């Protein structure tokens, strides 16, 4: 029996975050996730609806999702 997609996505994401924490900037996903967070923070600062911390989190989450599930 195969695992549900949400369970494998969550597990893969956790493993990716752990690897990023251990390897730091040497990990291939770290820089794109930081760039995504920066872009999200700028977008959050410009848009009147959300604040920059929300944009930062959203941008980093989208970049991480794209790294885990291209």
């Amino acid at each position: 029996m195969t695992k549900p997609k949400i369970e494998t996505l969550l597990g893969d994401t956790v493993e990716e975050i752990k690897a990023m924490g251990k390897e730091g900037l040497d990990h291939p996903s770290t820089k794109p996730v930081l760039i995504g967070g920066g872009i999200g923070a700028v977008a959050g600062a410009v848009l009147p609806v959300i604040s920059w911390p929300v944009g930062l989190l959203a941008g980093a989450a989208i970049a991480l999702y794209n790294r885990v599930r291209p």
Side-chain angles (χ1 to χ4, degrees):
M1 188 170 217
T2 61
K3 291 184 178 181
K5 281 195 168 209
I6 191 73
E7 188 176 309
T8 58
L9 176 63
L10 182 61
D12 291 347
T13 303
V14 168
E15 291 301 317
E16 190 74 10
I17 292 171
K18 285 181 183 178
M20 287 170 51
K22 287 179 184 173
E23 296 178 32
L25 287 175
D26 293 333
H27 193 276
S29 293
T30 303
K31 290 178 186 173
V33 170
L34 290 175
I35 291 170
I39 292 170
V42 169
V46 172
L47 296 173
V49 179
I50 60 173
S51 63
W52 71 266
V54 175
L56 175 86
L57 184 62
I62 290 169
L64 181 62
Y65 177 79
N66 286 332
R67 293 294 295 182
V68 172
R69 294 282 181 231

